[in-house]
């Protein structure tokens, strides 16, 4: 890894919000006196009832408790819309770019207000009340943002299920959250192909025990079934209600949304984010990390089904009165120049995407970038997985033309917002490093025994020492799981699950997960989830899933499968299992490689030794380590001999 410091491009530095001296001063204040610092920052929002208490947090196991601005009251949708109306009513809030390059739309803050109020009134008419859960299963269309903000307006808690998840995965989340209402569209559209969202909802609800109503947005006009008295057309209902809806006063610690995410064990957990601290943090990080200034056209290419879409397409930018671009399609449709054509078309100034997209577009060739006029761009961002220095340099030179700083932002669904990142006018960068902590964030590196590494240069697991306002508060319905997952292993710290190195300049380099979570194209996947999908198939007796290095996706999914007695491996069965996993979870969980394993390496107590499976999947046989504790060491030689290849 390279250690060279990249200076801040001087044109950028001249106009940036904050320089290095400013960063260092603010950072010191933020950790020396968090009460005062975050008390001031809380004022970036409009409060219906001002807070008097700023921070009340403890990471002490087992009495973990996190509260910010706990006696304040506010409404997130009022902060993202109403308070901008006087000054920005006619400014574009959302630019929508459809999957089809000829379809786009601009929505002003005034229009956003009306759409959100109407939908909020529809929710009320359908019986949704403060605290109720609403599931959104939406493509990337403006109605997805309206649906989120309308929940926030009436105090309902949204839980977005990524449109790429299967009906089965959707059913689990509808049941898990006991949602009253589902918001969806007839179909989604991605890369010219339609996605049967409403039909998936119908399949999902067939597996759900309680009654769930649906609001359906007409998007493609595709043929779908509507249930009498339970399914309602968005365009009909929104016309029947008033265009005004008073925002509900919410306590700062009332939940804003639940987002299911994968962990190292068991099924996905519902990460709960609350109202006040989350919005302060989303707004502040969006402003400082993206150097947000009036006139910016800001584009984050994530999907609202992931946390990046929540914090950096919708809540952060809209809280700041920004113009945010929502893109329905994929980077390679109709051609690999699509991202760059969209940048030119809408004069995008700030662009935020994932390394997997950068690598794929890099592979497609420079000519696709060179054909577009990218002179409007001034800042580039990366998120979701470590960015390899080659991709970083290509992004810098070919896309940014050497003129745009790159912010490599490290964070997680759990953290609500960015924790480690360059501040573009302040931080000299290094390709592949997320660099330094954001305000209020105190990273700590521990060895596996839990000893804090005090030297500047260190390597180990990454923990965070004290709370920040955007932090998740609990796992929905299972506070104990929250406490044990994040605070039990390393007492007194928030455990991130990531490995990390700190270099001589104090810069942080995220090295990837240290647990059984893998990161496929920037999507988080628990190996346990894929395993449980595989063993649910009648011909599978056992499965072990690990990640392996993949050129484009970052990590691919490698599955070792042991079949039931009497079942024979075949190409047909391999395909059947891939289809099966897609149905159980969704296409993002499709195994890339399946190896038939007559036996798995287990300890005498029956525990699968994943370390060995990981090494075989990585083609790294010299580092297998001690295999003498295995119940049957000979399985290893067999697995190596039959390693699956792409
Ligand atoms: C990984 C996405 C290296 C990391 C916002 C983390 C990264 C997980 C980076 C969270 C980055 C995210 N550099 N690794 N800049 N950003 N990660 O919850 O392993 O979908 O723990 O949140 O992605 O993924 P999640």
């Amino acid at each position: 890894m390279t250690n060279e410091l990249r200076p801040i491009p001087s044109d950028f530095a001249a106009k940036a919000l904050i320089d290095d001296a400013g960063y260092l001063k603010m950072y010191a204040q933020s950790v020396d006196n968090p009460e005062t610092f975050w008390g001031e920052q809380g004022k970036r929002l409009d409060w219906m009832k001002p807070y008097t208490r700023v921070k009340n947090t403890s990471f002490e196991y087992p009495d973990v408790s996190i509260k910010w601005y706990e006696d304040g009251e506010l409404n997130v949708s009022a902060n993202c819309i109403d308070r901008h109306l006087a000054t920005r009513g006619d400014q574009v809030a959302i630019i929508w770019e459809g999957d089809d390059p000829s379809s786009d739309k601009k929505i002003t803050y005034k229009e956003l207000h009306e759409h959100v109020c109407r939908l909020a009134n529809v929710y009320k008419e359908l019986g949704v009340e403060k605290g109720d859960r609403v599931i959104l299963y939406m493509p990337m269309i403006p109605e997805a943002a309206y649906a989120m903000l309308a929940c926030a307006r009436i105090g309902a808690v949204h839980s977005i299920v990524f449109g790429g998840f299967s009906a089965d995965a959707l059913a689990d989340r509808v049941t898990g959250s006991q949602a009253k209402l589902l918001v969806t569209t007839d179909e989604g559209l991605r890369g010219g192909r339609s996605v049967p969202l409403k039909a998936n909802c119908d399949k999902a609800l067939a597996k759900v025990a309680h009654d769930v109503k649906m609001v359906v947005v007409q998007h493609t006009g595709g043929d779908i079934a509507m249930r009498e008295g339970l399914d309602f057309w968005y365009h009909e209902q929104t016309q029947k209600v008033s265009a005004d809806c008073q925002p509900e006063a919410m306590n700062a610690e009332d939940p804003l949304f639940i987002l299911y995410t994968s962990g190292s064990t068991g099924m996905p957990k519902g990460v709960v984010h609350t109202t006040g601290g989350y919005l302060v943090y989303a707004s502040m990080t969006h402003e400082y990390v993206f150097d947000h200034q009036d006139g910016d056209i800001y584009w984050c290419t994530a999907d609202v089904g992931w946390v990046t879409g929540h914090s950096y397409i919708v809540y952060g930018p809209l809280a700041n009165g920004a113009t945010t671009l929502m893109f329905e399609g994929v980077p390679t449709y109709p051609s690999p120049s699509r991202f760059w054509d969209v940048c030119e078309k809408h004069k995008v100034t700030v662009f935020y995407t994932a390394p997997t997209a950068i690598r794929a577009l890099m592979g497609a060739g420079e000519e696709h970038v060179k054909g577009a006029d990218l002179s409007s761009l001034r800042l580039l961002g990366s998120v979701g997985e470590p960015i390899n220095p080659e991709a970083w340099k290509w992004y810098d030179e070919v896309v940014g033309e050497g003129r745009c700083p790159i912010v490599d932002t490290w964070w997680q669904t759990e953290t609500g917002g960015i924790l480690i990142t360059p501040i573009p006018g302040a931080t000299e960068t290094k390709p592949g490093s997320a660099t330094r902590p954001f305000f209020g964030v105190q990273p700590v590196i521990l060895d596996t025994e839990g000893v804090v590494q005090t030297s500047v240069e260190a390597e180990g697991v990454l923990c965070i020492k004290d709370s920040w306002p955007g932090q998740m508060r609990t796992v929905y319905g299972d506070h104990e799981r929250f406490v044990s997952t994040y605070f039990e292993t390393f007492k007194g710290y928030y455990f991130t699950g990531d490995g990390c190195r700190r270099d001589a300049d104090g810069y942080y380099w995220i090295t990837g997960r240290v647990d059984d979570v893998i990161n496929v194209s920037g999507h988080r996947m628990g190996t346990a989830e894929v395993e449980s999908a595989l063993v649910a198939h009648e011909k599978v007796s056992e499965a072990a899933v690990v990640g392996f290095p993949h050129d484009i996706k970052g990590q691919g999914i490698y599955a070792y499968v042991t079949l039931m007695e009497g079942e024979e491996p075949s190409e047909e069965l391999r395909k059947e299992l891939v289809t099966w996993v897609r149905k159980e979870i969704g296409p993002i969980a499709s195994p890339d490689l399946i190896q038939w394993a007559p036996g798995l390496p287990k300890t005498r107590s029956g525990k699968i030794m994943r370390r060995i499976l990981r090494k075989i999947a990585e083609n790294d046989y010299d580092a297998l380590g001690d295999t003498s504790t295995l119940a049957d060491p000979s399985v290893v030689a067999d697995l190596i001999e039959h390693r699956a290849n792409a």
Side-chain angles (χ1 to χ4, degrees), residues 174-330:
V174 175
T175 300
S177 65
Q178 287 292 302
K180 259 192 189 167
L181 180 73
L182 190 49
V183 186
T184 190
T185 58
D186 46 6
E187 295 172 321
L189 215 51
R190 273 171 73 81
R193 299 222 301 255
S194 65
V195 188
L197 294 178
K198 172 66 166 75
N200 282 350
C201 290
D202 294 340
K203 279 190 214 155
L205 291 191
K207 299 189 172 181
V208 172
H210 68 282
D211 267 348
V212 182
K213 291 180 183 162
M214 254 194 267
V215 171
V216 185
V217 177
Q218 193 165 47
H219 179 47
T220 63
D223 196 19
I224 54 161
M226 295 288 275
R227 300 170 305 164
E228 185 68 35
L230 286 172
D231 294 347
F232 303 89
W233 284 111
Y234 173 96
H235 60 275
E236 290 175 6
Q237 299 306 313
T238 47
Q239 288 322 301
K240 290 186 194 157
V241 294
S242 145
D244 252 316
C245 173
Q246 282 308 307
E248 192 77 28
M250 302 299 290
N251 179 271
E253 284 300 331
D254 281 335
L256 175 65
F257 65 85
I258 303 170
L259 186 57
Y260 283 84
T261 193
S262 297
S264 50
T265 53
M267 287 294 126
K269 44 184 175 287
V271 167
V272 176
H273 281 290
T274 58
T275 300
Y278 171 81
L279 197 63
V280 168
Y281 200 74
S283 155
M284 187 182 186
T285 46
H286 170 261
E287 179 180 353
Y288 282 93
V289 177
F290 300 107
D291 192 66
H292 177 63
Q293 306 198 17
D294 259 345
D296 268 334
I297 306 291
Y298 164 87
W299 181 16
C300 164
T301 70
D303 189 287
V304 289
W306 308 113
V307 74
T308 308
H310 287 64
S311 302
Y312 299 114
I313 294 178
V314 178
Y315 291 123
L318 294 179
N320 293 341
T323 298
T324 181
L325 193 149
M326 264 181 105
F327 175 47
E328 184 185 20
V330 298

Side-chain angles (χ1 to χ4, degrees), residues 259 261-262 271 306-308 312 352 355 382-387 407-415 417-418 420 432-434 494 496-499 509-515 517-519 522-525:
L259 186 57
T261 193
S262 297
V271 167
W306 308 113
V307 74
T308 308
Y312 299 114
Y352 188 32
S382 171
V383 62
E385 49 175 320
I387 177 165
V407 288
D408 174 5
T409 63
W410 173 83
W411 59 296
Q412 311 177 297
T413 306
E414 293 88 337
T415 70
I418 295 163
I420 302 184
S433 171
Y494 166 77
T496 65
D498 277 310
W509 301 72
I510 309 297
T511 52
R513 301 288 303 198
V514 296
D515 54 11
V517 171
I518 52 183
N519 196 322
H523 298 155
R524 242 168 103 159
M525 192 47 57

Side-chain angles (χ1 to χ4, degrees), residues 344-373:
E344 173 178 327
K345 177 177 172 187
H346 297 292
K347 304 210 166 31
V348 171
T349 57
V350 179
F351 179 71
Y352 188 32
T353 196
T356 185
I358 298 168
R359 287 190 298 266
L361 297 175
M362 182 167 93
E366 247 172 65
E367 63 276 15
H368 293 289
V369 193
K370 296 285 181 217
D373 174 4

